[in-house]
């Protein structure tokens, strides 16, 4: 078989679809109609395919599994604290903010590892690699900035935190779709 006929898997496409499901949160009677855990299942599959030959593949898979467990636990309405995207604009108590931050760490950890892994495999394209590194830095900032915002009571940084969370997630989602067909992102299956 020629290369054109070889079956291919586009793991970044699966990951992008999972991220879209995580971004969309329509609710009916408190229940998320598109549960985040469904998104994390797609992300877990995409991570397994994408990262199995990468040095950070095991860490990414572990973080995705943990984020899936957290998403399943947060699906019932009784466990929902606040929406992470709008957290910066809502008045929340320090304990709610700390809980939200702790619950978001597996997802943010996975996001940083994922962005760095994509930056590594796309190193032949300097511009693409740069933007993935930039997204990794944004997500790392979103992971540690709550320490200053809520722990040190630096409420003036809440806007920056909201921007980092939103743009980090949206950027990774859009770039996952945009780069899913690149040679370095496609996994060819043996025929």
């Amino acid at each position: 078989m020629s290369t054109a006929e070889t079956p291919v898997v586009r793991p970044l496409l699966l990951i992008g679809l999972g991220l879209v499901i995580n971004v969309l949160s329509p609710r009916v009677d408190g229940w998320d109609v598109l549960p985040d855990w469904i998104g994390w299942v797609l992300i877990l599959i995409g991570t397994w395919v994408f990262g199995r030959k990468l040095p950070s593949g095991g860490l990414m898979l572990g973080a995705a599994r943990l984020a899936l467990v957290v998403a399943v636990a947060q699906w019932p309405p009784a466990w929902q604290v606040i929406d992470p995207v709008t957290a910066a604009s809502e008045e929340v108590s320090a304990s709610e903010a700390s809980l939200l931050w702790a619950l978001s760490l597996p997802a943010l950890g996975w996001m940083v590892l994922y962005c760095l892994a994509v930056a590594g495999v796309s190193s032949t394209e300097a511009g693409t690699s740069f933007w993935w590194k930039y997204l990794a830095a944004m997500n790392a900032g979103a992971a540690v900035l709550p320490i200053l915002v809520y722990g040190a009571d630096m409420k003036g940084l809440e806007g920056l935190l909201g921007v980092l969370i939103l743009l980090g997630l949206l950027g990774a989602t859009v770039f996952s779709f945009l780069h899913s067909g690149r040679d370095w992102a496609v996994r060819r299956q043996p025929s």
Side-chain angles (χ1 to χ4, degrees), residues 110-174:
W110 173 85
M111 187 71 80
V112 170
L113 290 168
Y114 169 63
C115 291
L116 288 174
V118 176
V121 297
S122 68
S123 61
T124 57
E125 299 177 21
T128 301
S129 184
F130 167 81
W131 283 109
W132 280 102
K133 289 175 190 172
Y134 191 71
L135 286 170
M138 289 176 73
N139 285 294
V144 298
L145 197 57
I147 295 170
L148 295 176
V149 173
Y150 303 114
D153 202 30
M154 298 176 77
K155 299 292 184 186
L157 295 174
E158 278 184 319
L160 175 60
L161 176 60
V163 167
L164 289 177
I165 292 170
L166 186 62
L167 291 182
L169 179 59
L170 289 178
T173 303
V174 170

Side-chain angles (χ1 to χ4, degrees), residues 46-186:
T47 299
W48 179 76
V49 173
F50 177 69
R52 65 182 149 177
K53 293 183 181 176
L54 298 176
S56 63
L59 273 175
M60 282 191 325
L61 207 52
R65 285 180 185 142
L66 192 54
L68 173 62
V69 169
V70 169
V72 168
Q74 284 187 296
W75 186 44
W79 281 92
Q80 293 170 6
V81 182
I82 53 176
D83 184 5
V85 175
T86 60
S89 64
E90 293 180 10
E91 191 63 37
V92 297
S93 69
S95 62
E96 285 177 329
S98 297
L99 178 60
L100 175 67
W101 172 65
L103 292 174
S104 71
L105 284 177
L108 287 169
W110 173 85
M111 187 71 80
V112 170
L113 290 168
Y114 169 63
C115 291
L116 288 174
V118 176
V121 297
S122 68
S123 61
T124 57
E125 299 177 21
T128 301
S129 184
F130 167 81
W131 283 109
W132 280 102
K133 289 175 190 172
Y134 191 71
L135 286 170
M138 289 176 73
N139 285 294
V144 298
L145 197 57
I147 295 170
L148 295 176
V149 173
Y150 303 114
D153 202 30
M154 298 176 77
K155 299 292 184 186
L157 295 174
E158 278 184 319
L160 175 60
L161 176 60
V163 167
L164 289 177
I165 292 170
L166 186 62
L167 291 182
L169 179 59
L170 289 178
T173 303
V174 170
F175 282 175
S176 291
F177 285 112
L178 187 63
H179 298 141
S180 67
R182 304 277 174 99
D183 285 338
W184 47 262
V186 172

